[in-house]
Amino acid sequence: MRLRNKPGAEDKLLAYGQYVVSTPEEWKGRWNERFDKKQPLHIEIGMGKGRFLIEMAKQNPGINYIGIELQTSVIVSALEKQIEEGLPNVQLLQVNAQNLQSFFDKGEVDRIYLTFSDPWPKNRHEKRRLTYKDFLYSYETILDEQGELHFKTDNQKLFEYSLISFSEKGMILKELYLDLHNSEVENNIMTEYEEKFSRKGNRIYKTVAYFPESK
Amino acid sequence: MRLRNKPGAEDKLLAYGQYVVSTPEEWKGRWNERFDKKQPLHIEIGMGKGRFLIEMAKQNPGINYIGIELQTSVIVSALEKQIEEGLPNVQLLQVNAQNLQSFFDKGEVDRIYLTFSDPWPKNRHEKRRLTYKDFLYSYETILDEQGELHFKTDNQKLFEYSLISFSEKGMILKELYLDLHNSEVENNIMTEYEEKFSRKGNRIYKTVAYFPESK
């Protein structure tokens, strides 16, 4: 995503400490205390402007959601949605996804969402893709034994790459859709991006996968 | 494939004993003796009319090929191609793929091709799909440690099903193409079926997978 600088974004993030976690290491192992209720924890890595996360949180009050996004000018849009909604089950985290294990305890997370992640098409950027093996290792660590990775993209090459990466890690596919919008799937919540691309006729790919020791 | 009865097919298969193996159990563990040269063995399961197999055999004289097809009226078309070509590295086998382990020794096969297999779309026919778990177990047995399964189809549902089935078996994907004809792949040999469907604009899916102990 090309980023435009958003004036006042930094200040806004600081001003809403109840929604934006400024010292995430301190909450490792006790994220439930940041929420009204102790209930399952789902996180989205690279949530962008947060539409998917906020919609999910509205529809599923029995789940706590943490949205992770590094870019100030983007996470602030998610914050604005949350200011409007004031959902008790949403927290936002501005950190680098490479350090997930500093912020979450072993097995602390019940589900990870990756939706329309940056494809980083160049080979030399492989390590930045959120389905690169190093990320999968950290997902495996922070996910509960019953935990799942939900991955959705319109980028064919990224999806091909990711399925290979999952197989090398021994992950097991629970669901797979090679053309999500022409499949029988209930209640698919679209991001801004998904809606735009789907309207153009692009295929959306989705899989739900888990690690072999679990399930 | 809808089958038309082909008069004289049975007789023709019997008449060409040098190409069509009538007692396959006898050759288990010594398939190399059926060929001019001892060299890697690739088999195609459900070869249909044999265009892919015959083309592969022509292009790769350093590999022995066995084409497997149960239907008399179909395998005879493959035989007719082989009568014309007289390739020393082609043998045809009219057997049920469910008994592969009766015909091939452990590790005797270097590569298995599945090209445009019958999708058996109904749930109650799942066990007939050539990527059903029972088949995968037999492939694992007869494949050499370095062996690979090459799977190509235009059927999206079958491909989705198969990738899930492979993942449950712990298979590792070496290559994956979600739109083969729009990918950078060299020297793709098409079956009659593939050519027809590709002309219609259908996507062709392909993967190369192997079993975890191997490679």
Side-chain angles (χ1 to χ4, degrees):
Chain A
M1 178 167 358
R2 178 164 286 183
L3 302 175
R4 225 170 290 178
N5 197 23
K6 230 174 157 173
E10 296 275 10
D11 292 344
K12 194 172 244 176
L13 291 169
L14 285 170
Y16 285 87
Q18 71 272 44
Y19 298 140
V20 185
V21 187
S22 56
T23 53
E25 287 90 347
E26 283 180 24
W27 297 95
K28 180 176 174 175
R30 54 191 192 94
W31 279 103
N32 269 313
E33 298 173 25
R34 288 282 309 192
F35 295 93
D36 275 14
K37 288 184 214 156
K38 193 177 154 122
Q39 47 192 17
L41 180 62
H42 294 187
I43 70 175
E44 186 183 10
I45 302 171
M47 80 174 144
K49 295 178 180 172
R51 182 162 117 175
F52 174 77
L53 188 91
I54 298 287
E55 267 310 311
M56 289 296 280
K58 277 165 78 172
Q59 291 194 15
N60 303 285
I63 291 163
N64 291 331
Y65 290 89
I66 296 178
I68 297 172
E69 174 60 53
L70 187 59
Q71 303 297 338
T72 303
S73 55
V74 180
I75 193 173
V76 77
S77 297
L79 173 59
E80 283 161 1
K81 291 186 180 75
Q82 169 61 355
I83 291 168
E84 207 167 291
E85 301 286 348
L87 296 165
N89 58 338
V90 166
Q91 290 285 308
L92 306 175
L93 203 49
Q94 188 180 18
V95 297
N96 191 320
Q98 271 165 347
N99 308 317
L100 283 178
Q101 289 166 85
S102 316
F103 312 126
F104 297 99
D105 231 346
K106 277 187 189 173
E108 192 173 11
V109 176
D110 296 283
R111 188 176 291 182
I112 294 173
Y113 286 102
L114 303 177
T115 50
F116 299 90
S117 309
D118 194 323
W120 293 107
K122 288 179 182 149
N123 282 340
R124 67 187 158 89
H125 289 148
E126 180 192 355
K127 290 184 180 180
R128 299 189 190 178
R129 296 174 199 154
L130 288 175
T131 51
Y132 178 65
K133 65 172 192 265
D134 289 4
F135 283 110
L136 299 186
Y137 274 98
S138 71
Y139 302 160
E140 186 179 27
T141 303
I142 66 169
L143 271 177
D144 178 76
E145 278 186 15
Q146 307 289 318
E148 295 174 346
L149 178 64
H150 288 231
F151 175 52
K152 193 155 74 164
T153 182
D154 69 311
N155 189 289
Q156 181 193 324
K157 292 282 165 211
L158 178 65
F159 201 67
E160 291 170 345
Y161 171 84
S162 302
L163 290 180
I164 289 173
S165 186
F166 293 173
S167 80
E168 287 170 344
K169 188 72 186 69
M171 293 177 76
I172 301 168
L173 308 181
K174 190 181 163 189
E175 297 174 25
L176 179 64
Y177 307 96
L178 297 177
D179 189 2
L180 185 65
H181 291 193
N182 292 309
S183 302
E184 291 147 15
V185 182
E186 286 170 22
N187 196 20
N188 176 48
I189 295 181
M190 291 199 248
T191 63
E192 284 96 340
Y193 193 85
E194 181 170 355
E195 203 166 80
K196 188 170 116 191
F197 272 74
S198 182
R199 252 189 276 118
K200 284 191 191 173
N202 293 31
R203 278 197 191 200
I204 307 294
Y205 304 93
K206 182 184 169 184
T207 191
V208 175
Y210 58 96
F211 292 93
E213 283 76 15
S214 51
K215 276 280 155 55
Chain B
M1 173 167 1
R2 178 164 287 183
L3 300 176
R4 224 170 289 178
N5 196 23
K6 233 176 156 173
E10 296 275 9
D11 292 344
K12 195 173 241 175
L13 291 169
L14 285 170
Y16 286 89
Q18 72 272 43
Y19 298 141
V20 185
V21 186
S22 55
T23 54
E25 288 90 346
E26 283 179 25
W27 297 95
K28 180 176 175 174
R30 52 190 193 94
W31 279 103
N32 268 313
E33 297 173 26
R34 288 280 310 191
F35 295 93
D36 276 15
K37 288 184 215 158
K38 194 178 154 120
Q39 47 192 16
L41 179 63
H42 294 188
I43 69 175
E44 185 182 10
I45 302 171
M47 82 176 142
K49 296 180 181 172
R51 182 162 120 178
F52 174 77
L53 188 91
I54 298 286
E55 267 311 311
M56 290 297 281
K58 276 165 78 172
Q59 291 194 16
N60 303 285
I63 290 163
N64 291 332
Y65 290 90
I66 295 177
I68 296 172
E69 174 61 52
L70 187 59
Q71 303 298 336
T72 303
S73 56
V74 180
I75 193 175
V76 76
S77 296
L79 173 60
E80 282 161 0
K81 290 186 180 77
Q82 169 62 356
I83 291 169
E84 205 168 291
E85 301 286 349
L87 297 165
N89 59 337
V90 167
Q91 290 285 308
L92 307 175
L93 204 48
Q94 189 180 16
V95 297
N96 191 320
Q98 269 164 348
N99 308 319
L100 283 178
Q101 289 166 84
S102 317
F103 312 125
F104 297 99
D105 231 347
K106 278 188 187 172
E108 191 173 11
V109 176
D110 295 284
R111 186 176 292 181
I112 294 173
Y113 286 101
L114 303 176
T115 51
F116 299 92
S117 310
D118 194 322
W120 293 107
K122 289 180 182 148
N123 282 339
R124 66 186 159 92
H125 289 149
E126 180 192 354
K127 291 183 180 181
R128 299 189 190 176
R129 296 175 198 153
L130 288 175
T131 51
Y132 178 65
K133 65 173 192 271
D134 289 2
F135 283 110
L136 299 187
Y137 275 98
S138 70
Y139 303 161
E140 185 179 27
T141 304
I142 66 171
L143 272 176
D144 179 77
E145 279 186 15
Q146 307 290 316
E148 295 173 347
L149 177 64
H150 288 231
F151 175 51
K152 195 155 72 164
T153 181
D154 68 313
N155 189 290
Q156 182 193 322
K157 292 284 166 208
L158 179 65
F159 201 66
E160 291 171 346
Y161 171 84
S162 303
L163 290 180
I164 289 173
S165 186
F166 293 174
S167 79
E168 287 170 344
K169 187 71 188 70
M171 292 177 75
I172 301 167
L173 308 181
K174 190 180 162 188
E175 298 174 24
L176 179 65
Y177 307 97
L178 297 176
D179 189 3
L180 184 66
H181 292 192
N182 291 309
S183 302
E184 289 148 16
V185 181
E186 287 171 21
N187 197 21
N188 175 48
I189 294 180
M190 292 198 247
T191 63
E192 283 96 340
Y193 193 84
E194 179 170 356
E195 203 165 79
K196 190 170 116 191
F197 272 73
S198 181
R199 251 189 277 119
K200 284 189 189 171
N202 292 31
R203 278 196 191 202
I204 307 294
Y205 303 93
K206 183 185 170 184
T207 191
V208 175
Y210 58 96
F211 292 93
E213 283 75 14
S214 50
K215 274 283 154 55

